[in-house]
Amino acid sequence: MGIIFESFKVAFNIQKRYYLNFLFNITSSIFTFVPFIFISLTISKKPVEYILWVVSASGIWIILSQLIWSVGLSIRKEISEGTLEEILLSPSNPILVFIGKSILPVTLSAVSAFLTLLGVVIFSDRSILKLLEVFFLTLTCVPVALGISFMISILVINFKEVFAFLQVLMIFLGICIGLTYPVDGLPRPLYIISRIMLIPEIIRNIREILIYNKSILDKDILINSGVTIITGIIILFVSLLLLNNAIEKMKKKGSYNYV
């Protein structure tokens, strides 16, 4: 735990130096969904319901996208700054170091998601209790998002540069999880992929709570939340094992520099 805490503290102190960027990381995602609010007010006969339907997925998208871009590319940053060698040569477990460094982006994305959902709840006159229920469901995607992010780190180790791939991946994820439309309308192959993924089910539950006034204590929602958390933890654990294996291979081959 000491290594994890110290790694988090280092990441926090670095981020704190650039407080404008620190603030921007928290607030920037909020404005991503502002156009949908204006569109709904202009063309929708039920603007509040439409806004809730579209923006209800915003918290999950914020966490998913921010973690993939920050945690997923953390090793690339270490390589480009020349600090990866120091981590690998130190007596510390590099996996614990990367876990510690991931705490800050998880926290920032969670705060950003909470502020976005708070704005939606205030705008739609929903209760704070609904906000807390939705926020809890949103956090259930964190293990899955971290698992995907660490998988990206493995791709960085093997292929060095993955920017273009990440851009395509984010578009693909945005399509499959049904951010702004029902996944039922997807082509059959994409619909099957969407059903396999955990995130669309979380979004569906969030929409049921916000729009149809269901409770998080509803049996189906509780079961889905439990399955999401347990499966996400399994995915995260497997991704960390694969990442550790990739790091060990990289150390033996000495392939952690750009060529």
Side-chain angles (χ1 to χ4, degrees):
M1 289 299 294
I3 296 174
I4 293 176
F5 176 74
E6 290 299 324
S7 299
F8 162 74
K9 190 164 66 172
V10 169
F12 177 76
N13 288 333
I14 293 174
Q15 185 70 256
K16 190 172 61 174
R17 296 175 190 171
Y18 310 100
Y19 51 87
L20 184 60
N21 191 48
F22 189 84
L23 178 64
F24 179 78
N25 284 337
I26 296 176
T27 59
S28 60
S29 299
I30 298 174
F31 300 100
T32 304
F33 294 87
V34 170
F36 291 109
I37 296 177
F38 293 142
I39 291 172
S40 63
L41 291 174
T42 303
I43 66 174
S44 177
K45 295 181 180 180
K46 297 180 179 180
V48 173
E49 184 173 316
Y50 178 79
I51 291 171
L52 287 175
W53 201 93
V54 172
V55 188
S56 55
S58 61
I60 286 181
W61 182 249
I62 288 170
I63 291 176
L64 183 64
S65 58
Q66 288 191 7
L67 291 188
I68 286 179
W69 281 104
S70 57
V71 177
L73 295 178
S74 60
I75 288 184
R76 181 188 181 280
K77 185 178 180 181
E78 301 291 347
I79 293 174
S80 62
E81 294 181 353
T83 53
L84 182 61
E85 296 94 327
E86 297 177 1
I87 295 175
L88 297 181
L89 292 174
S90 72
S92 304
N93 187 326
I95 294 298
L96 296 181
V97 173
F98 293 128
I99 290 176
K101 287 177 176 289
S102 69
I103 294 176
L104 183 60
V106 168
T107 304
L108 292 177
S109 61
V111 172
S112 182
F114 181 83
L115 293 176
T116 303
L117 294 171
L118 178 62
V120 173
V121 168
I122 292 175
F123 178 83
S124 60
D125 198 29
R126 292 301 191 270
S127 67
I128 296 298
L129 178 60
K130 290 296 179 186
L131 167 65
L132 296 178
E133 290 181 350
V134 169
F135 184 61
F136 173 78
L137 284 182
T138 299
L139 292 182
T140 60
C141 78
V142 169
V144 180
L146 279 176
I148 295 174
S149 301
F150 286 123
M151 290 291 186
I152 299 297
S153 296
I154 298 173
L155 292 179
V156 172
I157 290 174
N158 289 287
F159 299 100
K160 308 302 182 186
E161 186 56 78
V162 295
F163 260 32
F165 169 77
L166 277 188
Q167 291 173 342
V168 175
L169 176 65
M170 296 311 299
I171 294 174
F172 179 77
L173 288 177
I175 292 173
C176 287
I177 67 178
L179 279 177
T180 58
Y181 48 78
V183 294
D184 295 341
L186 291 173
R188 186 65 181 175
L190 292 179
Y191 176 75
I192 294 175
I193 295 174
S194 176
R195 295 298 299 173
I196 295 174
M197 297 172 63
L198 299 171
I199 296 176
E201 194 65 25
I202 306 175
I203 294 175
R204 184 181 67 81
N205 290 334
I206 289 175
R207 286 168 176 161
E208 288 180 346
I209 290 175
L210 275 180
I211 300 175
Y212 306 113
N213 207 31
K214 284 193 174 183
S215 170
I216 195 173
L217 298 178
D218 183 89
K219 181 179 178 181
D220 291 338
I221 295 179
L222 279 178
I223 292 175
N224 290 334
S225 301
V227 170
T228 300
I229 293 174
I230 293 173
T231 308
I233 291 174
I234 293 173
I235 292 174
L236 175 58
F237 181 74
V238 170
S239 68
L240 288 174
L241 288 177
L242 293 175
L243 177 60
N244 184 67
N245 184 57
I247 289 175
E248 291 301 317
K249 288 183 178 180
M250 178 177 62
K251 290 166 66 175
K252 291 179 180 179
K253 295 180 179 179
S255 59
Y256 43 81
N257 290 314
Y258 280 108
V259 292

